[in-house]
Amino acid sequence: MLETQDGKEFESVIEGRNLHKKFRGFALDIDRLYVPQGFATALIGENGAGKTTLLNILAGIRLDYRGELCYFGKYTAEDRETNPVVKENIGYTGPGNYYLPQWRVEQVGEISELLFDGFHRDRFEEWCGRLAVGPDGSNRKISALSDGNRMKLMIAGVMARDTKLLLMDEPASPLDPLMRDNLCGLIREYLAQDEGNRSVLFSTHNVADMENVTDYVIIMEGGRIAETGFVEELKEKYVLVRGEPEFSEAAAPHLVSMNSGRYGFEGICQADRLDALAGCKVSAETPGLSQICVAIMKKYSDLHAGREGKRGM
Amino acid sequence: MRRAFRSYMALTLKSYRIAVFVVRPLFMLAAAFILMWTSGEKDGLYPENLLFAFAAAGDVMLDGALFGGICQRGAACLGYMRTSDRGMAVFSGGLLVDMLFRFLYYMLIGGWCFLFTGLSQDFAAAALAYTAVTATICFTRHFDNWQVDLLCSAGIAILFSVLYLTFGILQNRLAVDLQPAAAVLCVTVSYAAARHMSWCLKRSYYEKESL
């Protein structure tokens, strides 16, 4: 169960505790993970923050980790491997060589039919047409498809299934701006079905493009969760401040992150610390999700680079 | 078994199936006909040796085109298979059927040769060629690289020739029928290959962190 700042409670579609996966020079270390049910959750973070590792763990692609997971409020990670219901209800799209490069578009449909009970071939073909997979809709080899078309094929593959949860690793990255907009639309369409029981967790670097579909945000940094919350909550928690250049030094310690130049400074400040800037001549605005995310990622990058102490939260 | 056949059909390309079920057998049967008709032991040639060495070399290349690299850790497509609880069964089923079809193909050529020669050792030659190919593709499937397949296809012709000649020499010297031994070798290598494939798939599938 997920509780928001204003006391509202939400069911979680995935809950994780003490998730740990160690690589050489990197460790994923998540004490608590909540993905709210019925919403689109964006997983945001720098390259190498652990987003793909986390999504692979959640999808069951990686099993070499420690920790506890709970799906749909009742299934454990062990159930995911033994009870077909769990994987049947989870759709996953990933980057790179997700399908064998020799396969053809039609083959993906044939194989998916074998792999999933809830896969509908007619729906798959419909989605392939709707997303314009391949330049002329032909039955091309996967290796001959562009990255964008490969992603569209994966999306068609999961949309053709009856699932309750979509895990999407960087779905927007290889897509053109128009297709990204379509992606937001189809995520909304997916969530609207099944009386709010469907959820989406996607990782993205294109925060601005995906903001209109994002309800809840998990910001990762260095293998840990740096911030979580509903978008509106975060927009209340953080404030975008702008000020004259002479106040930049005085304001810096109170800002999460700051950009300064000859004509002034701009930074993200926690709303409850806005009083500390009383002596500075600053204007306050509601920040965009992208600005909040960048500020938080920047703060943690600075901490990792040993520049802590200069700015605070 | 029906599901395994469906898996095979889904995993293999149409062009691969045409090559495997139509072009390859027709070509080999024609080649066998020409070789058996025009040459014989009297010419110092062992036509079945040439025939099966050629068939095995072609088989390794053909297999590499479809299944090259599937034994690699984190191989392409396994990610997709892992998202389904049936992924492992579908993939192993497809590979087993591929093995079965390969066996039948070699027995078909062996039977065809038998029609000409009347020698039952043609079946032994077929079993040995099948054994050599099955062992070799266990290696080549670790590489998604046609140069490796090419090298191995040359190597397998030699491997088969050595196996077949050793078999012939032993049979003559010991003066015993070694065909049951060829059958045992064939079954043993098939079993080992199936286990190896299964292990390779499981390795990247279900391996857990050793803590």
Side-chain angles (χ1 to χ4, degrees):
Chain A
M1 194 72 80
L2 175 69
E3 194 174 338
T4 57
Q5 285 168 351
D6 53 3
K8 282 183 191 163
E9 285 187 341
F10 294 93
E11 294 282 337
S12 51
V13 67
I14 297 179
E15 271 188 56
R17 277 173 199 272
N18 305 318
L19 296 175
H20 184 81
K21 165 71 192 158
K22 203 175 174 186
F23 293 102
R24 193 178 292 172
F26 170 78
L28 181 83
D29 216 341
I30 296 173
D31 296 336
R32 285 186 145 203
L33 171 78
Y34 288 101
V35 180
Q37 186 178 314
F39 295 97
T41 301
L43 191 58
I44 297 165
E46 282 183 289
N47 290 323
K51 304 183 296 294
T52 296
T53 306
L54 177 61
L55 284 170
N56 285 347
I57 287 172
L58 299 179
I61 291 173
R62 283 211 92 94
L63 294 162
D64 49 351
Y65 66 92
R66 274 187 289 185
E68 291 166 34
L69 281 169
C70 181
Y71 296 86
F72 309 110
K74 52 183 171 182
Y75 300 111
T76 63
E78 209 181 320
D79 294 335
R80 183 193 59 202
E81 300 309 314
T82 53
N83 187 344
V85 173
V86 186
K87 282 190 175 178
E88 272 294 325
N89 279 305
I90 301 175
Y92 173 85
T93 66
N97 293 323
Y98 188 49
Y99 301 124
L100 209 65
Q102 298 94 314
W103 288 352
R104 288 180 181 274
V105 172
E106 273 180 17
Q107 242 177 314
V108 172
E110 285 168 27
I111 290 162
S112 302
E113 244 178 352
L114 284 174
L115 293 177
F116 305 104
D117 282 336
F119 181 85
H120 304 277
R121 190 76 179 273
D122 49 343
R123 217 194 285 172
F124 172 70
E125 278 156 19
E126 194 186 312
W127 273 102
C128 280
R130 188 172 155 185
L131 297 171
V133 176
D136 47 8
S138 59
N139 183 27
R140 300 186 84 182
K141 262 190 178 181
I142 305 289
S143 56
L145 294 176
S146 66
D147 287 350
N149 276 319
R150 233 175 284 176
M151 179 52 75
K152 288 195 263 181
L153 180 63
M154 285 180 220
I155 293 170
V158 288
M159 297 311 271
R161 287 174 52 200
D162 298 324
T163 56
K164 286 201 164 95
L165 169 67
L166 288 188
L167 300 173
M168 306 175 100
D169 193 358
E170 297 279 356
S173 294
L175 302 178
D176 58 67
L178 182 67
M179 203 47 227
R180 275 181 207 167
D181 189 59
N182 285 344
L183 175 69
C184 292
L186 70 89
I187 289 176
R188 278 272 164 247
E189 196 182 312
Y190 175 82
L191 289 171
Q193 291 162 5
D194 203 13
E195 296 163 351
N197 284 323
R198 289 180 161 189
S199 319
V200 179
L201 171 64
F202 62 91
S203 66
T204 187
H205 289 299
N206 306 88
V207 186
D209 285 355
M210 301 299 284
E211 183 172 349
N212 67 10
V213 78
T214 306
D215 301 307
Y216 190 80
V217 182
I218 299 171
I219 302 172
M220 288 188 72
E221 192 51 55
R224 291 164 185 268
I225 292 179
E227 181 66 279
T228 59
F230 282 95
V231 176
E232 295 314 312
E233 265 184 348
L234 292 177
K235 284 184 177 178
E236 283 170 19
K237 188 177 174 183
Y238 295 99
V239 178
L240 173 70
V241 290
R242 289 199 175 98
E244 298 296 319
E246 60 266 32
F247 298 108
S248 67
E249 257 185 57
H254 308 292
L255 301 179
V256 177
S257 82
M258 188 175 86
N259 291 317
S260 58
R262 265 197 300 171
Y263 302 105
F265 71 89
E266 185 184 280
I268 295 287
C269 175
Q270 272 195 292
D272 56 5
R273 297 195 64 177
L274 201 57
D275 294 346
L277 299 175
C280 308
K281 198 179 168 188
V282 293
S283 64
E285 290 171 35
T286 304
L289 179 61
S290 176
Q291 288 165 313
I292 297 170
C293 294
V294 171
I296 291 167
M297 289 194 278
K298 220 169 159 184
K299 186 213 167 201
Y300 279 89
S301 296
D302 287 354
L303 281 174
H304 289 150
R307 293 191 288 269
E308 71 268 40
K310 206 177 171 189
R311 286 190 288 273
M313 272 186 96
Chain B
M1 200 61 194
R2 204 172 144 220
R3 189 167 271 274
F5 275 102
R6 275 192 73 194
S7 304
Y8 177 80
M9 295 300 279
L11 286 169
T12 51
L13 299 169
K14 203 174 180 181
S15 53
Y16 175 84
R17 292 197 297 269
I18 291 170
V20 163
F21 295 121
V22 183
V23 180
R24 184 178 68 165
L26 285 179
F27 182 80
M28 289 312 297
L29 292 180
F33 176 78
I34 295 165
L35 275 171
M36 293 295 172
W37 196 258
T38 58
S39 63
E41 219 172 310
K42 62 184 187 304
D43 304 318
L45 274 171
Y46 295 93
E48 65 276 23
N49 186 352
L50 275 175
L51 192 72
F52 284 112
F54 185 70
D59 239 17
V60 170
M61 289 301 290
L62 204 56
D63 184 79
L66 191 73
F67 293 118
I70 57 153
C71 290
Q72 285 173 337
R73 188 173 286 197
C77 97
L78 287 185
Y80 185 51
M81 295 291 174
R82 274 178 228 152
T83 59
S84 161
D85 67 300
R86 288 191 210 127
M88 178 76 182
V90 165
F91 216 89
S92 341
L95 293 180
L96 273 176
V97 171
D98 181 64
M99 202 183 264
L100 175 69
F101 281 140
R102 180 168 292 109
F103 177 76
L104 293 176
Y105 162 66
Y106 280 97
M107 287 302 130
L108 174 75
I109 305 176
W112 183 243
C113 293
F114 176 75
L115 285 180
F116 290 100
T117 61
L119 297 171
S120 60
Q121 74 174 41
D122 286 336
F123 287 108
L128 289 174
Y130 163 81
T131 304
V133 172
T134 306
T136 306
I137 58 173
C138 280
F139 174 73
T140 53
R141 282 179 179 178
H142 284 269
F143 306 92
D144 187 12
N145 185 325
W146 66 268
Q147 285 102 327
V148 172
D149 295 338
L150 198 62
L151 267 174
C152 289
S153 70
I156 195 177
I158 300 167
L159 175 67
F160 167 73
S161 299
V162 169
L163 262 176
Y164 187 57
L165 289 176
T166 310
F167 175 81
I169 290 165
L170 278 175
Q171 193 157 254
N172 285 338
R173 288 207 179 157
L174 300 174
V176 284
D177 185 6
L178 284 179
Q179 286 182 59
V184 169
L185 186 67
C186 174
V187 171
T188 310
V189 169
S190 299
Y191 178 73
R195 289 295 297 251
H196 176 76
M197 287 298 148
S198 171
W199 177 79
C200 286
L201 295 179
K202 275 183 184 161
R203 184 179 59 167
S204 57
Y205 234 82
Y206 294 121
E207 193 179 50
K208 300 214 178 195
E209 190 176 15
S210 47
L211 299 165

